[in-house]
Amino acid sequence: MSHTYNVAVAGASGYAGGEVLRLLLQHPDVTIGALTAASSAGSRLVEHQPHLVALHDRVIEPTTAETLAGHDVVFLGLPHGESGKVAAALGPDTLVIDCGADHRLENADDWVAYYGSDHAGTWPYGLPELFTGATKQREALGAVKRIAVPGCNVTAVTLGLQPAIAADLAESTDIVAVLANGYSGAGKAAKPHLLASEGLGAAVPYAVGGTHRHIPEIAQNLRHAGAGEVALSFTPTLVPMSRGILATATARLRPGVDLAAVRQTYAAAYDAEPFVHLLPEGVWPSTASTLGSNHALVQVAVDEKVGRLVTVTAIDNLVKGTAGGAIQSMNLALGLPETTGLPTEGVAP
């Protein structure tokens, strides 16, 4: 007999919270309970998420432990530094899934260096496809009660590089990643540089020169995949699209590694994965092909002239990069089929 889980979403008025709700509405094993937020508390959800017709009349409540208590699952789509305080007030029987950064990093010094506040502690990491020695991270997510969802950029770069790192085909001490990012990754806050008048027709880099907060998280994942020291140059760029990440990540190849060996390694790594797809040779990922989908599309090439592996990965930053990955991890923690309620096909054009 099937069980229905009562799910609350904190941060329901934001992009991450809205995408969690969109996907939960398609999930056969959940009912949606409390919807909470901070400044938008007291307003109706339709004012913030007009595309979620089934929830138009729901009123957003304040984000408090009392409001969130009693649910089977609580998703936290809160600003960095806020999730730890809310989660600490929730009981150990509640499955809490943090879509923010508070519980992703294992090294407290990394947190302090990149986020500038006290570390809230480390939770099981919600990237089922992550290589962790001889297994993958999904093995660690069964029956857990706390899950930290990866950063969206982290998911794209990790999925692009980890098979080569794990198989020792490429060096981890000379990695360069350049990303094209949709504006939804910057959140809903009204900031001048996020206005359409500023962003349309422009490509703008940000967090340049080793300052982006996802750098230590990517390095952490690659170490789980088998890397020793990790040296990563990481440059994200805002481009005029609402959703999507196109991550081009390169690394120096070991001597003698050719494209056939690379493709064989990636095929072995991902052929059985429901949401990571190695494209046929010569076909390149497009963010448009991932819109609305929990898929990651991956392609690889070898630049023989400079001896480098080139990987290109496309994801929808709000689905596989955040809400879809969160629900995928929820399914594993609840003992449900991993793909339940998650879209595998994109929207085109």
Side-chain angles (χ1 to χ4, degrees):
M1 184 175 179
S2 63
H3 178 79
T4 300
Y5 298 92
N6 191 20
V7 180
V9 177
S13 58
Y15 285 135
E19 195 68 357
V20 168
L21 288 170
R22 183 181 75 87
L23 297 177
L24 288 176
L25 285 168
Q26 304 171 54
H27 198 293
D29 299 305
V30 306
T31 59
I32 297 175
L35 310 181
T36 79
S39 60
S40 55
S43 61
R44 291 183 302 159
L45 190 71
V46 65
E47 299 172 41
H48 310 277
Q49 311 287 7
H51 61 299
L52 302 178
V53 177
L55 301 174
H56 269 188
D57 292 331
R58 296 288 296 275
V59 175
I60 298 174
E61 301 178 70
T63 299
T64 65
E66 292 75 19
T67 302
L68 298 174
H71 293 83
D72 299 306
V73 183
V74 174
F75 286 89
L76 302 177
L78 304 176
H80 302 324
E82 298 296 322
S83 298
K85 294 176 286 187
V86 175
L90 297 174
D93 293 332
T94 302
L95 172 57
V96 184
I97 302 174
D98 186 7
C99 295
D102 288 26
H103 302 95
R104 298 169 183 165
L105 294 180
E106 297 167 358
N107 188 311
D109 291 338
D110 283 342
W111 174 269
V112 173
Y114 280 84
Y115 291 90
S117 61
D118 292 337
H119 187 223
T122 305
W123 289 359
Y125 194 70
L127 182 59
E129 301 90 353
L130 177 66
F131 287 17
T132 55
T135 62
K136 292 184 179 178
Q137 181 64 12
R138 61 170 48 88
E139 304 299 324
L141 293 174
V144 300
K145 290 298 184 181
R146 297 290 188 270
I147 296 173
V149 179
C152 52
N153 297 309
V154 179
T155 294
V157 175
T158 298
L159 294 176
L161 287 174
Q162 67 171 359
I165 297 298
D168 199 29
L169 302 183
E171 300 176 10
S172 61
T173 55
D174 183 11
I175 296 173
V176 178
V178 179
L179 287 74
N181 304 73
Y183 271 73
S184 59
K188 272 190 174 181
K191 300 177 181 178
H193 75 285
L194 301 180
L195 296 173
S197 56
E198 301 289 337
L200 293 178
V204 183
Y206 64 100
V208 179
T211 62
H212 198 285
R213 291 168 168 177
H214 287 169
I215 290 173
E217 192 181 342
I218 294 169
Q220 175 179 288
N221 287 354
L222 295 181
R223 287 194 294 269
H224 278 293
E229 179 185 353
V230 176
L232 167 66
S233 173
F234 178 88
T235 306
T237 303
L238 286 173
V239 298
M241 60 185 183
S242 60
R243 289 174 178 251
I245 294 173
L246 189 71
T248 301
T250 78
R252 186 170 301 280
L253 283 169
R254 302 292 188 190
V257 176
D258 60 13
L259 180 60
V262 170
R263 288 197 62 85
Q264 182 179 13
T265 296
Y266 275 70
Y270 290 143
D271 273 0
E273 288 292 343
F275 295 121
V276 185
H277 184 58
L278 176 65
L279 291 172
E281 191 169 350
V283 179
W284 293 98
S286 164
T287 57
S289 300
T290 67
L291 293 183
S293 163
N294 199 49
H295 247 128
L297 302 179
V298 180
Q299 185 56 284
V300 294
V302 169
D303 187 338
E304 295 180 353
K305 295 182 179 63
V306 295
R308 294 189 74 84
L309 167 70
V310 180
T311 72
V312 181
T313 306
I315 63 171
D316 184 323
N317 60 295
L318 292 178
V319 189
K320 183 57 179 165
T322 308
I327 291 173
Q328 185 181 348
S329 297
M330 177 196 76
N331 287 337
L332 289 165
L334 295 176
L336 300 172
E338 187 173 337
T339 59
T340 304
L342 289 169
T344 57
E345 310 303 328
V347 177

